[in-house]
Amino acid sequence: MWEWNKLVSEQLGLIIVGTALLFILFLIWNIVQGSKLKKMRRKYEVMMAGAGVENLETLLIDLKVQMDQIEDEQGEQQRQLQSIHKLLPKQKAKIGIKRYNAFEERGNELSFSVAFVDNQLDGVVLTGIYSREGSYVYAKPVVSGDSPYSLSPEEKDAIRLAGQEA
């Protein structure tokens, strides 16, 4: 034990100097970390000012919930959009109109043929024939640009005009 005390007393100066240097090093490191923490706290307070939220965790949880709701709504909108895209080619959205004079000897271009077709030229053609005695309207189904009923040249023109529509 005596040898141990002698060794410690001989090295006591070095131990004190080493401990003091280590203490100073930890003190400097603590000051640097404290200043970094102070800067971060200031930035946090500036960011949270006016947000009406007391802590960042609550804000992040609320944002996550809102993001999940937005993703769910977007998925539903995507499904609706896909179903609309499936139905869109079947819509009778192409329209062709041909006005003409059904009776050459009298009247103006008061008769007409209107074709309502889709991309495959399926649909219907309506024809209105005007004369002094009255007005008559006829409807004929159209499948692939043709009809099981005979089509007049004006009805064929209306179907052709509807098919040209972009």
Side-chain angles (χ1 to χ4, degrees):
M1 181 84 154
W2 170 258
E3 293 172 4
W4 181 256
N5 285 341
K6 185 178 178 184
L7 180 66
V8 168
S9 64
E10 288 175 1
Q11 303 297 325
L12 189 59
L14 288 174
I15 292 172
I16 291 175
V17 170
T19 306
L21 287 176
L22 194 59
F23 176 76
I24 291 171
L25 193 73
F26 280 139
L27 183 63
I28 292 171
W29 184 69
N30 193 11
I31 291 170
V32 169
Q33 293 302 319
S35 69
K36 286 182 180 179
L37 183 61
K38 192 174 184 179
K39 287 179 186 177
M40 190 181 302
R41 181 172 293 280
R42 262 191 247 127
K43 288 180 182 178
Y44 172 77
E45 288 173 358
V46 167
M47 179 182 74
M48 298 306 289
V53 178
E54 292 185 16
N55 65 19
L56 187 58
E57 182 180 5
T58 305
L59 176 65
L60 292 175
I61 290 171
D62 289 344
L63 289 175
K64 174 69 172 125
V65 168
Q66 288 176 2
M67 182 66 93
D68 290 343
Q69 290 174 345
I70 289 171
E71 287 175 356
D72 291 343
E73 289 175 14
Q74 184 182 17
E76 178 61 29
Q77 290 173 348
Q78 194 69 19
R79 285 187 288 279
Q80 289 175 354
L81 189 61
Q82 287 173 352
S83 67
I84 288 171
H85 277 295
K86 288 178 185 175
L87 293 175
L88 198 57
K90 298 176 184 176
Q91 299 301 309
K92 311 303 186 231
K94 295 186 172 206
I95 301 171
I97 300 173
K98 173 72 176 181
R99 290 186 59 131
Y100 60 95
N101 185 1
F103 306 103
E104 294 294 330
E105 65 274 356
R106 57 188 158 166
N108 293 329
E109 292 186 352
L110 298 177
S111 298
F112 65 90
S113 290
V114 180
F116 299 95
V117 297
D118 60 11
N119 291 339
Q120 289 74 35
L121 296 180
D122 295 340
V124 66
V125 63
L126 299 175
T127 300
I129 299 179
Y130 175 79
S131 70
R132 290 185 188 253
E133 292 80 33
S135 182
Y136 304 95
V137 178
Y138 303 96
K140 298 177 185 174
V142 177
V143 178
S144 299
D146 201 11
S147 177
Y149 302 98
S150 63
L151 295 172
S152 69
E154 291 83 7
E155 291 169 331
K156 290 179 183 178
D157 283 347
I159 294 168
R160 180 185 52 76
L161 289 171
Q164 290 176 352
E165 194 174 287

